[in-house]
Amino acid sequence: MRTVTCLILAILLFTNCTNPTQPVSLPTLDFEKEKAAIQAVIAKETKSYYKQDFEAWKSTYLQSPAFRKFGYWEGYENKIEAYNGFQSLADVKKKQFDANETLWQGSVEERSNENFRITSDMAWYTFEQNSFEKDTRKFLGKSLETRILEKENGEWKIAYLGFHYYPEEGE
């Protein structure tokens, strides 16, 4: 009886296997469409941050313990800022938004040297960013930026936010 059961299981497994010589068909990726969607998420995150719209800002992130944020800016007390897990960042940003303490509100960001690597459910995006005061165009800073995004329910979410600001002139 055992031999018959094993034989039936082997036949079922064998007939359900794909032929290894047949290529596996993967969904076609529309690179330009995904690139535009990623740029839109980054723009929404930036805009909602400066408007201090917590819910819109939060909606752009992977709200998970897997989220990471690592950044360097001379304006930080310890020069480096790090968050492991989204909730710790959300708690700080909620207090900051409620207290109207967002730096560079209404600034204008210009991105260059953009580089995208995109798969069906994960992407990374690197760029250089110059920030200027909106009305005066006073230069605020230049940074090297990295975003790693994951798709969640078909939408891109920021899973990693990294930035390194160049030292300010004369320092």
Side-chain angles (χ1 to χ4, degrees), residues 116-134:
F116 291 86
R117 298 289 295 168
I118 304 171
T119 66
S120 60
D121 60 355
M122 186 167 268
W124 62 274
Y125 171 36
T126 59
F127 53 93
E128 291 178 28
Q129 180 170 278
N130 289 319
S131 297
F132 302 91
E133 283 184 356
K134 183 179 180 179

Side-chain angles (χ1 to χ4, degrees), residues 6 8 10 21 47 58 70 93 105 107 114 121 133 135:
C6 287
I8 291 170
T21 61
K47 183 178 180 179
K58 186 172 87 169
F70 304 135
K93 292 303 175 189
Q105 288 184 33
S107 67
E114 296 175 298
D121 60 355
E133 283 184 356
D135 297 326

Side-chain angles (χ1 to χ4, degrees), residues 76-113:
Y76 291 139
E77 183 177 331
N78 294 316
K79 310 291 187 218
I80 295 175
E81 185 173 89
Y83 292 91
N84 293 318
F86 181 74
Q87 192 57 53
S88 61
L89 175 63
D91 292 344
V92 168
K93 292 303 175 189
K94 178 73 171 132
K95 288 177 188 172
Q96 181 185 40
F97 289 5
D98 288 348
N100 194 25
E101 294 176 345
T102 303
L103 298 174
W104 300 359
Q105 288 184 33
S107 67
V108 175
E109 282 66 42
E110 295 176 358
R111 297 182 178 110
S112 62
N113 287 331

